[in-house]
Amino acid sequence: MDAFKKYVAEFLGTFTLVFIAAGAVCTDYYLRKSSGQGLGILGISIAFGLATTSVIYAISYVSGAHINPAITIAHWVTRRINPDTAIKYILSQILGASLAGFALKILFPEALYTVYLGTSTLGNEVSVLQGIIMESIISFLLVLTFCGTVLDKRAYSGFAGLAIGLVVLFGVLIGGPISGGVMNPARSFGPALASGQFTHHYVWWIGPIAGSIIAAFLYDTILAEEEAKTVSTKKK
């Protein structure tokens, strides 16, 4: 039953995150269409960051609040989570993101073929390589912060949600014009599935996963406590 609660928490947390983050893009489109002034990149960034913060405080004590396949994969490769649990986490995240995408499709029908329900897209004249590099860097910073605030026992965990939320906010703000500042494959997949927009979709899997794995290994190798390094290498 405890394991089931974790999967439900990841499902609900990812649903909330994607619904708010992608929903902010849809809202921005509707506002610009009706009044000419939308949320803008800053408003979308704040929505994404605050949603992340809220979800972490709401479910971190249940599942660890991964709400991101890239973070779960980083846990997997550094042996902080077993393969069976990791796969179920990722499936829960993808299902939550997909439900959020279809909910947005019902609520924002005019955003389906305009902003593709908030689906990630590359900026004008931005190459695939640039998109992957941007997503890798901001995802690296996200997971480095996650490791330092959530996983490291030396840190004061009460600030974890705020610190991670701020990294997400700035990641969207900086990465928005290039790659959308997604840092999360599920955030991209849910709206893409609902809208059918999968152009260059692999960018938002390769970039976040690569950056997350590098950050997790770097933290374990250099920054973690010696005791934590030993425990991590022994986990299966």
Side-chain angles (χ1 to χ4, degrees), residues 70-155:
I71 290 179
T72 300
I73 290 171
H75 276 63
W76 184 354
V77 300
T78 54
R79 299 184 180 182
R80 295 183 182 278
I81 189 173
N82 66 63
D84 180 66
T85 301
I87 291 171
K88 290 176 181 176
Y89 263 46
I90 293 169
L91 289 175
S92 299
Q93 293 157 1
I94 289 174
L95 286 173
S98 300
L99 180 61
F102 283 103
L104 292 172
K105 185 176 182 178
I106 294 171
L107 296 170
F108 297 96
E110 292 184 30
L112 180 58
Y113 299 112
T114 50
V115 293
Y116 307 108
L117 303 175
T119 300
S120 314
T121 57
L122 295 175
N124 293 332
E125 300 183 2
V126 172
S127 70
V128 167
L129 180 59
Q130 287 175 309
I132 291 175
I133 291 173
M134 174 59 80
E135 288 295 321
S136 296
I137 292 173
I138 57 180
S139 297
F140 173 89
L141 297 175
L142 170 62
V143 173
L144 196 67
T145 304
F146 189 96
C147 290
T149 57
V150 175
L151 302 182
D152 200 316
K153 294 180 180 179
R154 295 171 295 178

Side-chain angles (χ1 to χ4, degrees), residues 187-230:
R187 155 69 183 87
S188 181
F189 180 80
L193 181 65
S195 67
Q197 173 57 267
F198 282 97
T199 303
H200 301 133
H201 183 67
Y202 54 86
V203 167
W204 295 281
W205 287 87
I206 295 174
I209 291 173
S212 297
I213 290 174
I214 293 171
F217 272 120
L218 176 68
Y219 199 90
D220 271 4
T221 304
I222 300 176
L223 302 177
E225 289 182 288
E226 291 300 322
E227 181 181 354
K229 294 177 187 178
T230 303

